[in-house]
Amino acid sequence: QQLAVFIRKLLDNSANPISPDGKTAIHFENSAVTAITLKNGERQIILPAGKAKGDAVLFSNNGKSILTNNAASDSVTIWSFPKGEFKQTFKADIHQLFFSKDNRYITTIQNNSFIKWDLALQKQVYVFTLDKSFEFLAVSPDANLAAAAIGF
């Protein structure tokens, strides 16, 4: 029962908190990024409290990286998983984010735009802005298609 409540909490607070193999969940717990083995509930601190500040954490599609989003500093940081080694940070005011299937890009929501970022180049490679604001974006696995929910 506690695990079910915990998973619901994760799903409410993170874009993709479950590893691609379905064995691990990840979230912020007491300001630390913690991984939980879903089979037995075992916890492992990936990033100690204070190392990563953020509002959301998610897995890359290959499960080898995690991404933390810090709305207070308008930044996104990518870390290795499970070692928690720093990879890169870039500035972005992001409300929702997605990794591409090949983990080369992330697609983000910023205000009424969605932006495709090239992680190797650390820059925006595509921006699409709608004339209306939206709260939700669904992105295809190859990060080439997106659908926005408007007017809810």
Side-chain angles (χ1 to χ4, degrees):
Q1 183 181 18
Q2 285 182 328
L3 185 58
V5 170
F6 173 74
I7 290 172
R8 277 196 302 274
K9 180 180 172 189
L10 283 174
L11 293 174
D12 288 343
N13 294 321
S14 299
N16 189 11
I18 307 297
S19 63
D21 63 9
K23 295 180 180 179
T24 307
I26 194 160
H27 76 118
F28 277 98
E29 181 176 339
N30 299 321
S31 301
V33 173
T34 304
I36 297 100
T37 304
L38 295 176
K39 185 174 184 177
N40 61 16
E42 181 181 318
R43 286 173 154 65
Q44 176 187 357
I45 294 176
I46 304 302
L47 300 170
K51 186 171 181 181
K53 295 179 181 173
D55 311 294
V57 60
L58 68 139
F59 277 101
S60 63
N61 289 320
N62 64 8
K64 294 180 181 178
S65 299
I66 57 172
L67 188 147
T68 57
N69 177 33
N70 185 344
S73 67
D74 294 337
S75 65
V76 172
T77 303
I78 299 175
W79 311 85
S80 69
F81 182 83
K83 292 185 178 185
E85 296 168 338
F86 172 82
K87 288 187 169 186
Q88 69 187 83
T89 295
F90 55 96
K91 295 292 272 179
D93 177 20
I94 294 173
H95 304 289
Q96 198 173 0
L97 37 92
F98 309 89
F99 272 97
S100 64
K101 191 171 186 171
D102 63 3
N103 299 297
R104 180 174 173 197
Y105 303 99
I106 61 170
T107 302
T108 65
I109 289 178
Q110 292 180 237
N111 301 320
N112 62 334
S113 298
F114 75 87
I115 300 168
K116 187 174 182 179
W117 300 80
D118 184 309
L119 295 176
L121 299 176
Q122 296 187 29
K123 70 176 193 173
Q124 299 175 8
V125 293
Y126 183 78
V127 178
F128 181 76
T129 303
L130 296 171
D131 60 353
K132 296 181 180 180
S133 63
F134 55 93
E135 291 297 319
F136 177 77
L137 181 71
V139 177
S140 65
D142 63 4
N144 287 324
L145 297 172
I150 300 172
F152 286 94

